[in-house]
Amino acid sequence: MQEFKPVKEGKVREVYDIGDSLIIVATDRISAFDVILKNKITEKGAILTKMSKFWFGFTKDIVKNHMLSTDTADMPEFFQKEEFEGNSMKCKKLSMLPVECIVRGYITGSGWESYQKNGAVCGIKLPEGLKESDKLPEPIYTPTTKAELGLHDEHITFEESVGILEKLHPGKGADYAKQIQEYTINLYKKCAEYALSKGIIIADTKFEFGLDENGEVVLGDEMLTPDSSRFWPLEGYAPGKSQPSFDKQFVRDWLKQNSGSGYLLPEEVVEKTVGKYKEAYELLTGEKFA
């Protein structure tokens, strides 16, 4: 049996090169404030993989994506073990574009902080009088650089994204920048409308795109998971304050209140976090997580 080692290891995911394609494994690791925590969140990797699979299928009419299979029977024998079951995705190889495509439908987080200072988010002027967590008149596109592990992504303007892509793909930068902007907004609008019908507000999210062998833009990475998005329950939504969420907010809040924890979580925080992930998956897909 051929052995494989990750060619890339992120905070929570591992990427294996199997020749004609990649295997992306979502581990049960969890990170907060750019640190990998000592606990694992049981089943988290499988929940995120199943959620991405759902969204890739839901949006394939808008843009092609890199997913080939989540069945380990379609992968080399090395991956046909329990540790890879449910949390692994076989994907097309793409030449990834070094721009993170962030879309915001509601004003929160760093966007809210920026708006309070100067009435704008990432240089985009917004109407006066918005409250924290308000829905924006239209979703806004606020790209960032794609930083190396351990470094922070930097906000960039659309024009700066054109410059970054033009350096890599002379004569095509503006075209690729426009395409990924349009795909980002269209994906968000379709998915946010659907999620709302299931009782979840998608406040913001990020997408990543790459080019296939024909130079066509393809959606890659993960998609609309609680790790890459802010999901809020529709029930009880009230602008003017921060909202409860279906993500690792429990983890962040606990760490802020327990600075001497050494990044080790109590079991109840782990259980609450995985419970929120499962709840989001089940609401969005209509399927019991198994």
Side-chain angles (χ1 to χ4, degrees), residues 31-288:
S31 71
F33 309 118
D34 288 329
V35 175
I36 299 169
L37 274 58
K38 289 175 181 169
N39 308 72
K40 290 192 175 176
I41 307 293
T42 314
E43 299 181 307
K44 172 179 173 273
I47 298 166
L48 299 190
T49 300
K50 278 175 173 274
M51 202 175 277
S52 284
K53 180 187 176 186
F54 169 78
W55 288 119
F56 282 139
F58 185 72
T59 56
K60 61 186 179 194
D61 60 325
I62 294 176
V63 59
K64 288 181 182 176
N65 62 69
H66 70 162
M67 181 179 70
L68 295 170
S69 176
T70 56
D71 187 344
T72 52
D74 298 327
M75 302 174 197
E77 189 186 347
F78 175 81
F79 296 95
Q80 292 165 26
K81 317 179 212 177
E82 193 178 347
E83 67 189 276
F84 297 109
E85 204 59 57
N87 65 348
S88 305
M89 185 180 287
K90 185 180 180 181
C91 301
K92 291 176 195 164
K93 283 184 171 178
L94 301 175
S95 172
M96 296 305 289
L97 297 172
V99 173
E100 290 215 335
C101 299
I102 294 168
V103 55
R104 303 165 190 262
Y106 293 73
I107 189 157
T108 185
S110 63
W112 170 241
E113 287 170 22
S114 170
Y115 176 78
Q116 288 176 289
K117 287 179 194 157
N118 56 26
V121 175
C122 301
I124 299 168
K125 205 78 185 152
L126 295 176
E128 288 180 21
L130 292 176
K131 300 193 289 290
E132 184 178 7
S133 306
D134 257 337
K135 185 176 183 183
L136 298 173
E138 275 296 312
I140 57 172
Y141 176 67
T142 58
T144 70
T145 57
K146 178 78 177 117
E148 291 300 311
L149 187 62
L151 299 174
H152 288 291
D153 301 333
E154 300 287 338
H155 290 295
I156 51 174
T157 63
F158 174 77
E159 290 70 30
E160 285 170 327
S161 78
V162 171
I164 289 168
L165 296 175
E166 184 63 27
K167 270 186 191 169
L168 277 178
H169 304 283
K172 291 279 191 78
D175 193 30
Y176 285 146
K178 190 73 187 151
Q179 279 187 62
I180 63 177
Q181 179 190 42
E182 286 177 1
Y183 283 144
T184 296
I185 297 291
N186 291 339
L187 287 166
Y188 175 77
K189 283 183 171 177
K190 177 173 183 174
C191 298
E193 184 182 350
Y194 168 82
L196 209 55
S197 75
K198 301 294 181 182
I200 289 181
I201 292 168
I202 302 175
D204 52 38
T205 191
K206 75 159 178 88
F207 302 113
E208 293 191 40
F209 298 90
L211 305 177
D212 66 11
E213 66 278 8
N214 304 314
E216 190 174 353
V217 174
V218 176
L219 178 61
D221 201 59
E222 64 181 328
M223 184 181 185
L224 284 163
T225 69
D227 270 17
S228 66
S229 321
R230 274 191 182 91
F231 291 163
W232 298 337
L234 176 60
E235 189 179 342
Y237 164 67
K241 58 180 183 179
S242 64
Q243 308 296 310
S245 58
F246 289 101
D247 58 20
K248 52 189 176 187
Q249 198 57 49
F250 280 123
V251 172
R252 292 192 201 99
D253 290 348
W254 189 87
L255 288 170
K256 277 182 187 172
Q257 290 158 17
N258 296 272
S259 55
S261 66
Y263 291 95
L264 182 67
L265 302 171
E267 200 50 45
E268 65 266 23
V269 175
V270 172
E271 283 173 16
K272 269 186 176 178
T273 302
V274 78
K276 281 290 167 196
Y277 277 58
K278 280 183 183 173
E279 188 183 350
Y281 173 81
E282 290 173 358
L283 281 170
L284 288 166
T285 65
E287 293 174 6
K288 199 87 182 134

